């Protein structure tokens, strides 16, 4: 795995990368204020004709679910500051991660802009591209992680990207479902409940795949499970009630958490056994 410790003299390109990451973080945070309605924009749940509101589709999480963005944005801003530290300027790891993270930040802002403009189909495309960019970034995070890296780095880099990816998995499912509904998709004859259950299960399988790939790291699972729990809450307490989807979403969230913990425990046990040989 690649060390995060600087081993070379900083280059002008390193300074450019740092500024690009910081500027992208600022753009993303400004976009979040616009998307929340705090800066005069239309709140996301009311934009695009309310297609992304909590009661628009069976996969839409309840409003409080979106508070996780505060944690994610705090982590992204912390990363934007942290990567300016002298030891990170010429870090091989940051040279690989900086621009991919910046791309996800700009795509995040582009998604908010497309929703604000009422372009739901465009927003669906953007969030799929954002998900792909986050998957690439996540793979790079895993491949460049070093054993015994500082806990601050594990939280600011690994934890932030993990939370970001897990939540965007849920957001992508909700956005695509809303886009298909608005486009008049008839579900090939399946009932809305059946589609809701299928999409929740796919999201759960995605969470399990992330847990297997990342040896049971908790961040992606935490945000994905958080989203699924709020989908369940919305289907019980909202206007669009579906006990079936609610039950499956809750069971799926619990299953993803339990399996992730099992994978994490098994991985830790293997590491201890290898160290004792």
């Amino acid at each position: 795995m690649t060390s995060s410790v600087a081993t070379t003299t900083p280059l002008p390109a390193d300074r450019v990368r740092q500024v690009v990451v910081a500027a992208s973080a600022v753009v993303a945070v400004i976009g979040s204020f616009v998307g929340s309605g705090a800066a005069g924009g239309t709140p996301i749940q009311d934009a695009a004709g309310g297609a992304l509101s909590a009661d628009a589709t069976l996969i839409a999480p309840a409003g409080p679910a979106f508070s996780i963005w505060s944690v994610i944005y705090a982590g992204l801003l912390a990363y934007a500051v942290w990567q300016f530290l002298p030891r990170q300027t010429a870090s091989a790891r940051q040279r690989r991660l900086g621009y991919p993270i910046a791309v996800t930040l700009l795509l995040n802002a582009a998604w908010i802009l497309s929703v604000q403009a009422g372009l739901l189909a465009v927003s669906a495309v953007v969030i799929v591209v954002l998900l792909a960019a986050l998957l690439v970034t996540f793979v790079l995070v895993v491949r460049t992680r070093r054993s015994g890296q500082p806990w601050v780095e594990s939280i600011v880099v690994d934890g932030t990207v993990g939370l970001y990816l897990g939540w965007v998995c849920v957001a992508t499912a909700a956005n695509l479902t809303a886009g298909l509904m608005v486009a008049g998709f008839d579900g090939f004859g399946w009932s809305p409940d059946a589609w809701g259950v299928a999409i929740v299960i796919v999201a759960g399988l995605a969470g399990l795949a992330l847990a297997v790939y990342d040896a049971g790291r908790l961040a992606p699972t935490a945000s994905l499970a958080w989203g699924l729990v709020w989908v369940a809450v919305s289907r019980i307490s909202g206007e669009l009630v579906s006990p079936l989807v609610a039950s499956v979403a809750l069971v799926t969230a619990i299953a993803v958490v339990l399996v992730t913990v099992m994978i994490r425990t098994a991985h830790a046990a293997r590491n201890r056994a290898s160290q004792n040989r």
Side-chain angles (χ1 to χ4, degrees):
M1 292 187 179
T2 303
S3 170
S4 65
V5 178
T7 56
T8 59
T9 302
L11 302 172
D14 293 316
R15 304 300 185 188
V16 172
R17 184 194 70 248
Q18 290 173 317
V19 171
V20 169
V21 170
S24 299
V26 170
V27 169
V29 170
I30 291 174
S32 74
F33 277 109
V34 173
S36 69
T42 304
I44 291 296
Q45 63 268 25
D46 298 326
L52 299 177
S53 68
D55 295 309
T57 72
L58 292 177
I59 308 302
F66 296 93
S67 63
I68 195 173
W69 274 119
S70 298
V71 180
I72 295 171
Y73 282 125
L76 291 168
L77 285 174
Y79 173 74
V81 173
W82 177 83
Q83 51 116 29
F84 274 105
L85 295 178
R87 289 174 64 84
Q88 305 307 323
T89 300
S91 160
R93 191 181 200 205
Q94 301 318 313
R95 283 174 172 172
R96 295 189 68 183
L97 294 178
Y99 283 115
I101 290 176
V103 167
T104 70
L105 289 164
L106 295 175
L107 285 169
N108 194 326
W111 178 80
I112 292 173
L113 179 63
S114 62
V115 174
Q116 288 287 324
L119 302 173
L120 192 61
V122 174
S123 75
V125 173
V126 173
I127 203 167
V128 168
V129 176
L130 171 58
L131 178 61
L134 275 169
L135 285 169
V136 170
T137 305
F138 181 73
V139 169
L140 291 174
V141 165
V142 174
R143 289 182 177 178
T144 58
R145 182 183 298 135
R146 63 194 178 94
S147 178
Q149 70 184 19
W151 65 268
V152 173
E153 181 174 350
S154 294
I155 292 174
V156 172
V157 181
D158 305 60
T160 297
V161 172
L163 284 175
Y164 196 3
L165 174 59
W167 172 251
V168 170
C169 285
V170 176
T172 300
N175 201 156
L176 290 179
T177 302
L180 288 172
M181 181 195 70
V182 170
F185 178 60
D186 64 3
F188 299 120
W190 288 23
S191 70
D193 279 354
W195 271 107
V197 167
I199 294 170
V200 165
I201 291 174
V202 169
L205 291 174
L208 293 178
L210 294 176
V212 170
Y213 182 75
D214 201 19
R217 294 277 172 164
L218 299 178
T221 290
S223 55
L224 189 142
W226 168 269
L228 291 178
V229 167
W230 282 106
V231 168
V233 170
S234 191
R235 300 290 68 80
I236 294 172
S237 61
E239 296 179 4
L240 191 58
V241 175
S242 173
L244 177 60
V245 173
S247 300
V248 173
L250 187 58
V251 170
T252 301
I254 294 171
V256 171
V257 171
L258 290 177
V259 173
T260 299
V261 171
M262 291 171 59
I263 293 172
R264 183 180 180 85
T265 302
H267 181 73
R270 286 196 297 270
N271 285 343
R272 287 194 297 270
S274 64
Q275 291 171 1
N276 292 331
R277 289 175 183 172

